[in-house]
Amino acid sequence: MNKKISETVKNSISIMALISSVVFYGYFVNISSTKGFFLRKEMNTLEEVKFENSIEKLEVAKLEKKLLDNLISENFDPSTNIVDSSKILVLESLPEMALNNKTNTNN
């Protein structure tokens, strides 16, 4: 009888240890996979934002070039092949102007 009780206790402890190990493993694997899923999702979102940002930078650069070409062509003297730089106003806020111009055309 005593032997049967000790064997039942051993089996119960083994089963509880096995069940707790499975639950612990399942919990941490679930957390890890969930974090990985959301990390990949946010990384994709970050890549999309970076791509949109690079497109905006390209559009701003094109507008800057267009504005500068317009300034130069207005102040170019074909007879001397010289640009009169005294008439050109250098704008430090050229990218902001280009973005404002873009947002005004969208409205």
Side-chain angles (χ1 to χ4, degrees):
M1 176 118 179
N2 206 8
K3 190 174 185 182
K4 191 173 184 180
I5 292 174
S6 68
E7 207 153 306
T8 306
V9 170
K10 284 181 189 177
N11 288 340
S12 298
I13 291 172
S14 297
I15 290 172
M16 285 192 297
L18 179 65
I19 290 173
S20 64
S21 298
V22 168
V23 168
F24 225 55
Y25 177 77
Y27 175 75
F28 285 111
V29 166
N30 184 30
I31 285 180
S32 298
S33 62
T34 303
K35 285 182 181 177
F37 170 77
F38 286 110
L39 177 64
R40 285 189 299 276
K41 187 176 177 182
E42 291 303 316
M43 291 298 285
N44 288 340
T45 305
L46 177 64
E47 290 299 319
E48 290 172 6
V49 169
K50 283 182 179 178
F51 180 72
E52 290 171 5
N53 186 20
S54 65
I55 290 174
E56 291 293 325
K57 284 182 180 179
L58 180 63
E59 289 178 5
V60 168
K62 286 179 182 178
L63 289 172
E64 283 179 347
K65 184 180 182 319
K66 183 179 175 183
L67 289 172
L68 288 174
D69 287 345
N70 287 344
L71 285 173
I72 289 173
S73 66
E74 289 172 4
N75 297 304
F76 180 71
D77 184 9
S79 61
T80 60
N81 286 335
I82 296 175
V83 175
D84 184 10
S85 61
S86 65
K87 296 180 181 177
I88 296 177
L89 174 65
V90 178
L91 300 175
E92 301 237 348
S93 61
L94 199 55
E96 289 81 12
M97 282 182 51
L99 285 175
N100 289 339
N101 186 18
K102 182 181 176 195
T103 55
N104 289 342
T105 58
N106 289 341
N107 292 336

